[in-house]
Amino acid sequence: MMTDLATGRLRSSSDLPSNRHCIIIWVIVYLSCYSIARVNASIHEYQNETFIRRANSFFFHGGSEGLYASRATSVNDTQVSEENSLNGKSFIRFESITFRRTKQSAEKINEMQQRTGLVEAIIVKVRDRTKIGGSYLNSDAICCTPQLANNGSCNVGEVIIHDNPDAPGGPIRIQTFFEGKNEEATMVYNVDINSTGMYYLYFMFCDPELKDTTISGRTVWRNPDGYLPGKMMPLMTFYGLMSLAYLFLGLIWFLRFVQYWKDIIQLHYHITAVIGLGMCEMALWYFEYANFNSTGSRPMVITLWAVTFTAVKKTVSRLLLLVVSMGYGIVRPTLGSITSRVLLLGVTYFVASEALELVEHLGNINDFSGKARLFLVLPVALLDACFILWIFSSLSKTLEKLQIRRSMAKLELYRKFTNSLALTVLLSVIWIGYELYFNASDPLSGLWRRAWIIPAFWTLLAYVLLAVICVLWAPSQNPTRYAYSEETGDDFDEETITLTGSAVKVSADHATVLERKERKASLVADHHVFGLGEDREEDKRE
């Protein structure tokens, strides 16, 4: 048996097939996302990946990240450097990179040849990407051809790189060769990063005989302060500060809650839950990033908990806005027949949000497929639109009914809430426009040092809106001013409006006082509207 949170009636387990189905769906999504997840970001793993043909070359994208330049170690830091050689170092390390060519390719090699196949690793910053290929030679070729080699511009069989002696620090070339008829070649190397920028790593070869060659192994990317990617580094500090912000808000709310605990209404418990979820969410993300920064790979357990708390908090926050807009606990005691629809929307949003968060944070940061992301983002965006439309539709009805009943205190409260919500939606639309512009104008992540602002804004906006709700519905010694009261006749059905012949006089410092003034002339005039039955009910209340 279960209790309906909105109506308080008991329901048997047989009435809940949809809940079981939703749980099953969530488990399937959870396990499928877990199964496709790979250790990502600072440790890029390659598992027998194939090369793609591009122009007259074959290439494989080995990863991309924003890296800060290594910090110079002072004389005073000599002892620290000996204890921790990675302190202040920024690098890209090639670990067990193995290239495997086909047996047929190896058998075509002359036994007298020592080096029989060249594979290159090219590390290039975004600003230097035009230095790769023959564009500066008015050629579409990426690999050097005999014609270009005759001009002394490049060497046949190598990737064309334009080296400018006047501007050192361009693309970095690392070469490895297949020896004799060996089917495997290894690349072990460490590249120190001495210039800040967004770096791309490509593995390339020009020999068509190496077609179908595969790559396996991994590369490790590190910033001076740890393994956390450069564009994510500011987020660790941000989440730490947001944890303190939620803690501060929760402390104030708790003190207020305890001070007026006898006058607490049901809505206050819902707000408390959202504050608690936000506090746990920010703390989990901070520890997840801190662990990520120290190890180079995401801690699966903490990441899964952080993702789940994020999805739960987003869902509960939207449901809170919706039920407040409907007047739950303020002008109506229950949600009535629409409870199932509200819960269905909430469960659906949680499943969609959880799937998106799992794939975004457990997939490779720089290799996340645009189509896959679009497939998961669209349902969340559509559900957000449903929430917004339903919230403002409910607010419109609630404001209309409060105005008809002349419940001035509640009307003023809901007007402030509506204005705050409208401002939040306006800021969201503006920021979405900026985000689209940012992504469109920076397809190669050249502005990676500012990318952290995008997710940080949404987190900050949600916190501000929650703080506004806490101010508007703060616990007080006079909760009946805003809480639902049967004597005031606040309860109403969502689809109908029941008018009463009463006037409400509201005191700003005392509880709402209803004074019904009846006049025989008004009763006779309004008899055809309200009916005798309602007049008798009014007499009983008097």
Side-chain angles (χ1 to χ4, degrees):
M1 303 293 285
M2 293 185 63
T3 303
D4 193 309
L5 295 178
T7 61
R9 67 182 181 89
L10 293 177
R11 299 181 296 173
S12 64
S13 58
S14 60
D15 297 330
L16 303 172
S18 60
N19 289 350
R20 289 199 300 267
H21 292 164
C22 291
I23 293 174
I24 293 173
I25 293 173
W26 181 84
V27 171
I28 293 174
V29 171
Y30 189 90
L31 292 177
S32 62
C33 291
Y34 182 84
S35 64
I36 65 174
R38 295 182 295 174
V39 176
N40 58 6
S42 293
I43 299 178
H44 297 266
E45 294 189 349
Y46 322 119
Q47 300 175 354
N48 294 322
E49 310 283 352
T50 57
F51 287 72
I52 301 173
R53 188 177 186 90
R54 178 71 58 84
N56 63 339
S57 69
F58 296 82
F59 88 101
F60 170 75
H61 181 206
S64 60
E65 278 186 30
L67 295 175
Y68 291 94
S70 300
R71 290 196 302 268
T73 304
S74 64
V75 178
N76 296 331
D77 295 337
T78 303
Q79 185 176 358
V80 177
S81 298
E82 292 176 352
E83 294 176 357
N84 184 5
S85 60
L86 300 181
N87 182 38
K89 292 277 182 108
S90 183
F91 58 78
I92 301 175
R93 185 170 61 230
F94 295 74
E95 295 184 352
S96 304
I97 299 296
T98 303
F99 305 101
R100 292 182 177 87
R101 59 183 174 182
T102 61
K103 185 176 182 180
Q104 294 80 0
S105 176
E107 290 176 348
K108 294 180 181 179
I109 302 302
N110 188 333
E111 294 182 357
M112 301 299 295
Q113 292 179 290
Q114 293 183 351
R115 294 184 171 183
T116 56
L118 170 64
V119 182
E120 298 180 283
I122 309 295
I123 301 174
V124 59
K125 288 194 289 188
V126 169
R127 69 181 186 184
D128 296 328
R129 63 188 182 278
T130 56
K131 294 183 179 181
I132 296 180
S135 58
Y136 75 102
L137 299 174
N138 297 321
S139 173
D140 295 331
I142 296 177
C143 292
C144 187
T145 62
Q147 294 79 6
L148 296 175
N150 291 335
N151 299 330
S153 302
C154 56
N155 298 322
V156 175
E158 294 183 357
V159 175
I160 302 173
I161 295 181
H162 177 45
D163 294 322
N164 187 355
D166 299 328
I172 301 173
R173 184 202 306 266
I174 305 170
Q175 297 182 333
T176 189
F177 293 87
F178 286 93
E179 300 292 340
K181 289 191 174 185
N182 291 342
E183 296 180 12
E184 293 186 358
T186 59
M187 179 181 288
V188 179
Y189 207 80
N190 193 83
V191 179
D192 290 331
I193 302 300
N194 298 314
S195 177
T196 300
M198 171 59 69
Y199 285 84
Y200 279 76
L201 169 62
Y202 296 102
F203 295 97
M204 308 179 73
F205 61 82
C206 302
D207 188 356
E209 295 295 334
L210 296 179
K211 183 182 178 182
D212 298 326
T213 296
T214 61
I215 178 176
S216 59
R218 70 177 191 172
T219 54
V220 179
W221 307 52
R222 190 184 191 279
N223 270 290
D225 295 318
Y227 292 98
L228 198 63
K231 64 181 178 181
M232 299 172 65
M233 191 71 72
L235 283 174
M236 183 171 68
T237 303
F238 174 77
Y239 286 134
L241 294 175
M242 287 304 301
S243 298
L244 297 177
Y246 270 100
L247 181 62
F248 177 74
L249 179 63
L251 180 61
I252 295 178
W253 181 263
F254 176 75
L255 294 176
R256 193 87 177 180
F257 197 94
V258 172
Q259 184 179 1
Y260 302 105
W261 69 273
K262 291 184 179 180
D263 302 313
I264 295 300
I265 61 177
Q266 188 67 29
L267 187 61
H268 291 146
Y269 292 100
H270 297 182
I271 297 175
T272 303
V274 176
I275 295 175
L277 287 171
M279 194 183 306
C280 294
E281 177 197 12
M282 293 298 102
L284 283 171
W285 279 123
Y286 174 77
F287 287 115
E288 197 266 355
Y289 274 48
N291 193 301
F292 189 0
N293 189 49
S294 62
T295 63
S297 59
R298 308 198 86 140
M300 285 297 180
V301 175
I302 300 179
T303 303
L304 292 174
W305 275 107
V307 164
T308 302
F309 265 91
T310 297
V312 172
K313 185 243 182 182
K314 289 170 65 176
T315 302
V316 175
S317 298
R318 283 155 177 76
L319 291 177
L320 174 63
L321 292 175
L322 181 58
V323 299
V324 168
S325 302
M326 291 177 175
Y328 173 69
I330 307 297
V331 294
R332 63 192 305 166
T334 70
L335 296 180
S337 59
I338 61 174
T339 302
S340 57
R341 283 185 286 168
V342 172
L343 293 178
L344 178 61
L345 179 60
V347 171
T348 305
Y349 185 86
F350 169 75
V351 173
S353 180
E354 178 80 354
L356 177 61
E357 294 286 340
L358 281 172
V359 176
E360 276 192 327
H361 292 93
L362 295 182
N364 275 7
I365 287 179
N366 62 300
D367 296 331
F368 188 40
S369 171
K371 292 183 179 179
R373 189 176 192 281
L374 182 63
F375 176 77
L376 293 171
V377 166
L378 280 179
V380 177
L382 291 175
L383 290 170
D384 274 326
C386 291
F387 268 112
I388 292 174
L389 291 175
W390 201 353
I391 286 172
F392 278 98
S393 175
S394 300
L395 275 175
S396 177
K397 294 178 181 179
T398 302
L399 288 170
E400 181 182 357
K401 293 173 175 71
L402 290 174
Q403 190 169 11
I404 290 173
R405 292 181 177 138
R406 296 185 180 278
S407 299
M408 306 309 296
K410 295 180 181 179
L411 181 61
E412 182 64 21
L413 175 70
Y414 267 87
R415 280 176 176 169
K416 292 179 180 179
F417 174 67
T418 303
N419 292 336
S420 302
L421 203 56
L423 179 61
T424 301
V425 173
L426 178 61
L427 291 175
S428 299
V429 172
I430 294 174
W431 192 256
I432 289 174
Y434 172 75
E435 187 174 346
L436 292 174
Y437 167 77
F438 183 89
N439 292 329
S441 61
D442 187 37
L444 298 177
S445 302
L447 303 176
W448 57 277
R449 280 182 279 190
R450 290 189 293 175
W452 69 275
I453 300 176
I454 300 297
F457 173 83
W458 297 113
T459 302
L460 187 61
L461 185 65
Y463 176 81
V464 172
L465 184 58
L466 178 60
V468 170
I469 293 177
C470 290
V471 172
L472 293 178
W473 276 278
S476 66
Q477 61 183 359
N478 188 19
T480 55
R481 181 182 182 186
Y482 297 140
Y484 168 79
S485 175
E486 292 184 1
E487 287 77 11
T488 63
D490 281 333
D491 193 17
F492 55 84
D493 187 80
E494 183 186 23
E495 308 297 336
T496 61
I497 302 176
T498 304
L499 303 180
T500 60
S502 61
V504 181
K505 181 178 180 180
V506 181
S507 172
D509 301 318
H510 301 85
T512 303
V513 179
L514 297 177
E515 296 182 357
R516 308 188 185 280
K517 298 181 179 180
E518 296 182 352
R519 295 173 184 165
K520 292 183 178 181
S522 298
L523 287 172
V524 173
D526 295 336
H527 177 75
H528 66 285
V529 178
F530 300 105
L532 292 175
E534 190 170 39
D535 292 337
R536 290 171 184 158
E537 184 63 22
E538 294 291 337
D539 292 338
K540 292 179 181 179
R541 293 178 182 176
E542 290 284 298

